[in-house]
Amino acid sequence: AGRAAHLLPLLSAVRLGRLPLDVLAKKVAANAVVQKHLGGNAEWQAMVNSALAYVGSTREQKAKMESPQTRERLGSKGRFLAVLGGRRGASAGPVRRCWLLDRIGWEWTE
């Protein structure tokens, strides 16, 4: 219950508009957790609907609809890649670390 309040801000950081339409419709919008919130929350509905509208638009329409959820990440073209936390294998405990990959020398820094 405590995590639910953080789910919308977290999902808002995802570039939903960059996903292929089939992934957005069949995986994201159809997900049980997303469906639970879509029914009663206008912010969730607006987020998913705007992503679906963007993905299904022409190039000209997309230029007018650009938002933080549709822009390409600058870091995707950059030198460094940051990896934050997660889970390792079948372990139930979270990994609380951050790694940085230098794509020029292919060196990892923790």
Side-chain angles (χ1 to χ4, degrees):
R3 293 181 182 182
H6 304 289
L7 198 52
L8 181 62
L10 179 64
L11 196 55
S12 295
V14 175
R15 304 284 205 243
L16 294 178
R18 306 296 294 175
L19 295 173
L21 184 57
D22 62 323
V23 172
L24 187 57
K26 294 177 182 175
K27 300 288 184 184
V28 178
N31 181 279
V33 174
V34 173
Q35 283 292 314
K36 175 183 168 187
H37 293 285
L38 277 175
N41 189 319
E43 289 180 272
W44 279 82
Q45 293 169 2
M47 177 181 60
V48 173
N49 288 341
S50 65
L52 286 168
Y54 181 86
V55 172
S57 297
T58 65
R59 179 173 284 148
E60 293 81 24
Q61 292 169 326
K62 286 181 179 180
K64 297 175 187 173
M65 300 169 64
E66 193 168 286
S67 74
Q69 284 194 307
T70 59
R71 285 187 215 113
E72 188 171 342
R73 291 185 187 271
L74 294 177
S76 64
K77 295 182 179 182
R79 175 179 176 177
F80 297 102
L81 170 70
V83 180
L84 309 172
R87 299 195 186 280
R88 181 176 296 159
S91 172
V95 176
R96 290 186 172 95
R97 292 186 182 160
C98 175
W99 297 270
L100 188 66
L101 171 64
D102 180 346
R103 292 187 194 186
I104 293 177
W106 294 103
E107 297 174 355
W108 286 95
T109 305
E110 186 173 342

